[in-house]
Amino acid sequence: MGMTTKKRKSQSSAKSFLICGDEELVQEYGALFSQSEADVYIWHNRKPQLPKRKNFIYTRTLSRVPKKIIAAFELSNLSYERKIGNIIKIENHCAKESLIISSSVTQTVTALTAHLQYPHRIIGLGAFPSLLQNDLVELCRGPFTQNDALKTVGDIFFDFKKEVSLVDDRVGMVMPRILCCLINEATFALQEEVASTEGIDTAMKLGTNYPQGPVEWGEKIGFDHVLSIMDALYFDTGEERYRPSPLLRKLAAGADFASRFLP
Amino acid sequence: MANIIGVIGAGTMGSGIAQVAALAGYRVLLYDIERSALDRGLDVICKNLDKGVEKQKLTKEQSEKARQKIETTVDFILLKNSTTVIEAAVERFDIKKGLFQRLDEMLPHESIIATNTSSLSITALGAVTKRTDRVVGMHFFNPAHIMKLVEIIKGKETSHTTISRITSLTKEFGKTPVLASDTPGFIVNRVARPFYGEALRILGEGVSDIAEIDRIVKKSGGFKMGPFELMDLIGIDVNLSVSKSVYE
């Protein structure tokens, strides 16, 4: 299932990218693209804080974006309506050769495909806050995704020194699913007063060598993002094991000030 | 009274705990029902101490001193002078119950019975004794001489004095104590369940395969080991029994 990336020059003459979606992800992917020379159009409602770069073009409307771009990164996990709205607008605006790389952790690519006229060019992306600081990105294909499209995405990430792994088209993909289930379980434990926030984080780092404690990690990711995955998994499977804890729901509601009311 | 730490069980955990206590300067009495188990345990301790010297984590003197601090016995009654007994016998309630009752009868009033159990209730174990306030969980992680964490588990009637004595002892051992309540799996074995459970689910549903899941978890999540590698290391049988006990 592994997909290794090989060095290959981009075939496309279009040199631009588009980034839009959840603020945290636009920020992270924007930071990634600050290493690139390509024009990067950042389509936003609220201007994200990014390093100053000449190749960044901020826009509130798609009309300023060239029709022919290499790829649009659609990075919404939190709102289905916004995601579908973005995808339809991108589809209507961009040439049919332009790829649509859409975060597919809360929605399958298959579900997104249903909204597209040209579904050969959509690729699912495991876009989830905090994961881009590491070396691997998960991708998945929809029912009509072309191999060339997948290859191009692999090359884009290869240029950023990222490996890719092709996984099946399932909500949560691999890492976001495992990570959010851990964080959810940690919030259940917190809620049941098994230990303090600090105790849980310390225990998981020292007892199992986790790179970060699950509660501090959740705070860094944003509990609203964690909840979006758990809700998606729970909806997808209807299984008790994916039920978000009431504390997680509360932390998600106050994600911006979660540290104030973490137990 | 001399400060003696009794350790019950010379298996992987017991011998690791004995080593840690001896290095902290305590006299240790390591008990097992079988002489051969004690010999094996002591052998492991010596090898680990040698490795410590080799890696320059210990001086030769420290290592020798620690070795001299450890005595072994198959005679249970000799544990009677311990200020603290750390029980690391097999994970069976009936066996631990027998040990706790005998310890309770022969130990001095103020001595503490600590258990390294990873899955049994501290409250239930305490209840077989007449010293429910002096029974506590002291859960080390494998390998005990390396892993820094010790979960300190408060049973329903464990006193604050007991908790603070065991917390201090843990610190003297050079470990980091974390207080946990007496619930299945305590902290680590509970919160870590999805790391394995979800990986198995993801595999079972065909989302990815074993090698890829391990690669993703390490390279995308930044974990040192993938869930399948870790299950292999811990032992799939051990993992299953921990999962079952948390489930039950």
Side-chain angles (χ1 to χ4, degrees):
Chain A
M1 249 176 255
M3 203 177 78
T4 46
T5 48
K6 288 190 194 78
K7 188 84 187 161
R8 192 175 66 96
K9 282 251 161 73
S10 173
Q11 303 290 311
S12 171
S13 59
K15 285 272 181 264
S16 311
F17 291 95
L18 169 71
I19 302 180
C20 65
D22 295 336
E23 226 174 297
E24 299 78 3
L25 288 168
V26 169
Q27 210 124 325
E28 289 184 11
Y29 277 79
L32 183 75
F33 271 95
S34 66
Q35 306 165 28
S36 156
E37 296 301 320
D39 286 341
V40 181
Y41 289 84
I42 296 164
W43 180 30
H44 65 94
N45 289 324
R46 195 163 74 180
K47 194 175 165 183
Q49 288 186 337
L50 282 167
K52 270 204 174 124
R53 294 279 302 181
K54 275 186 194 155
N55 59 328
F56 283 3
I57 302 136
Y58 295 92
T59 176
R60 283 174 189 276
T61 78
L62 270 186
S63 56
R64 283 187 62 198
V65 179
K67 291 197 179 299
K68 207 173 166 194
I69 56 174
I70 299 175
F73 282 79
E74 197 293 312
L75 308 168
S76 310
N77 293 337
L78 297 176
S79 158
Y80 177 69
E81 288 74 23
R82 194 168 65 205
K83 183 170 201 70
I84 298 303
N86 282 350
I87 283 179
I88 291 172
K89 282 178 199 156
I90 292 167
E91 162 104 303
N92 290 339
H93 178 80
C94 292
K96 64 177 191 288
E97 299 79 32
S98 303
L99 302 182
I100 302 177
I101 304 168
S102 184
S103 176
S104 56
V105 289
T106 52
Q107 289 295 328
T108 59
V109 184
T110 307
L112 301 173
T113 293
H115 298 270
L116 293 176
Q117 259 180 296
Y118 303 108
H120 62 280
R121 41 90 170 255
I122 187 163
I123 297 101
L125 173 67
F128 193 67
S130 88
L131 296 185
L132 205 56
Q133 65 188 25
N134 298 313
D135 301 328
L136 184 144
V137 175
E138 290 174 60
L139 300 177
C140 66
R141 63 192 311 156
F144 301 100
T145 308
Q146 280 180 349
N147 289 339
D148 277 1
L150 213 53
K151 220 171 188 177
T152 307
V153 180
D155 289 346
I156 293 169
F157 281 110
F158 182 86
D159 286 341
F160 291 126
K161 300 189 172 56
K162 303 278 180 202
E163 295 172 30
V164 297
S165 177
L166 188 63
V167 305
D168 197 38
D169 183 24
R170 275 293 303 276
V171 160
M173 299 173 83
V174 175
M175 199 61 239
R177 175 170 170 180
I178 294 175
L179 183 54
C180 292
C181 286
L182 280 174
I183 295 168
N184 189 40
E185 191 57 36
T187 62
F188 269 115
L190 261 184
Q191 187 178 297
E192 292 161 24
E193 298 179 348
V194 171
S196 65
T197 296
E198 201 197 338
I200 291 177
D201 283 342
T202 305
M204 299 315 287
K205 283 186 283 188
L206 297 183
T208 57
N209 272 328
Y210 284 2
Q212 296 177 65
V215 190
E216 59 187 0
W217 206 340
E219 214 180 334
K220 203 163 156 192
I221 290 166
F223 288 108
D224 46 348
H225 282 273
V226 178
L227 178 65
S228 74
I229 302 280
M230 294 315 296
D231 273 340
L233 284 165
Y234 190 51
F235 181 74
D236 191 43
T237 61
E239 285 184 70
E240 163 70 19
R241 63 192 281 134
Y242 301 110
R243 180 172 61 90
S245 77
L247 177 61
L248 177 63
R249 212 169 272 291
K250 193 168 141 191
L251 288 166
D256 293 339
F257 46 93
S259 61
R260 290 190 73 92
F261 63 98
L262 260 171
Chain B
M1 192 171 76
N3 226 336
I4 300 174
I5 296 203
V7 177
I8 298 180
T12 317
M13 294 310 289
S15 52
I17 294 165
Q19 179 184 333
V20 166
L23 275 171
Y26 283 93
R27 275 181 61 195
V28 178
L29 186 60
L30 181 60
Y31 163 85
D32 202 292
I33 40 171
E34 281 186 47
R35 190 73 250 175
S36 60
L38 288 169
D39 291 342
R40 272 198 307 275
L42 211 50
D43 195 44
V44 170
I45 292 171
C46 290
K47 278 186 185 143
N48 286 338
L49 286 171
D50 288 346
K51 243 186 242 166
V53 175
E54 222 173 90
K55 288 187 175 169
Q56 297 186 320
K57 300 223 160 125
L58 298 173
T59 65
K60 196 144 178 92
E61 201 189 341
Q62 279 174 314
S63 152
E64 262 160 34
K65 236 183 186 170
R67 172 61 197 88
Q68 283 163 13
K69 293 260 181 201
I70 302 171
E71 281 174 59
T72 59
T73 184
V74 287
D75 193 358
F76 196 77
I77 195 79
L78 293 181
L79 289 166
K80 71 178 195 303
N81 295 323
S82 313
T83 45
T84 303
V85 172
I86 305 171
E87 172 275 314
V90 288
E91 282 287 86
R92 271 177 50 187
F93 188 81
D94 55 336
I95 288 177
K96 289 191 200 277
K97 180 181 171 185
L99 292 169
F100 273 44
Q101 283 171 336
R102 284 163 73 192
L103 285 172
D104 191 31
E105 279 165 20
M106 68 189 205
L107 284 176
H109 176 80
E110 60 283 2
S111 294
I112 292 175
I113 306 175
T115 171
N116 181 53
T117 184
S118 59
S119 57
L120 300 173
S121 158
I122 308 304
T123 309
L125 283 169
V128 308
T129 71
K130 292 186 184 76
R131 60 176 79 213
T132 49
D133 57 324
R134 277 153 291 144
V135 172
V136 64
M138 195 178 187
H139 184 212
F140 290 79
F141 287 75
N142 190 15
H145 66 291
I146 292 175
M147 298 298 274
K148 285 282 172 219
L149 179 70
V150 178
E151 289 176 332
I152 311 286
I153 302 105
K154 188 179 180 310
K156 196 159 186 282
E157 294 191 7
T158 310
S159 69
H160 289 297
T161 318
T162 301
I163 294 293
S164 81
R165 274 175 62 190
I166 292 298
T167 302
S168 307
L169 186 66
T170 303
K171 287 180 184 163
E172 281 178 54
F173 285 178
K175 304 287 181 194
T176 306
V178 170
L179 189 65
S181 70
D182 189 18
T183 47
F186 314 128
I187 304 171
V188 174
N189 279 338
R190 171 185 179 168
V191 177
R193 276 312 87 203
F195 189 67
Y196 313 105
E198 280 313 299
L200 287 164
R201 270 291 179 107
I202 286 165
L203 175 69
E205 291 168 5
V207 179
S208 191
D209 62 29
I210 290 179
E212 277 300 283
I213 295 169
D214 276 351
R215 188 167 81 99
I216 291 168
V217 167
K218 285 187 287 184
K219 293 203 161 173
S220 167
F223 287 80
K224 287 201 179 80
M225 286 180 89
F228 293 99
E229 288 174 313
L230 204 50
M231 273 186 270
D232 253 353
L233 183 79
I234 297 167
I236 292 166
D237 49 342
V238 174
N239 225 301
L240 177 65
S241 83
V242 175
S243 296
K244 273 186 182 166
S245 109
V246 173
Y247 178 76
E248 280 160 9

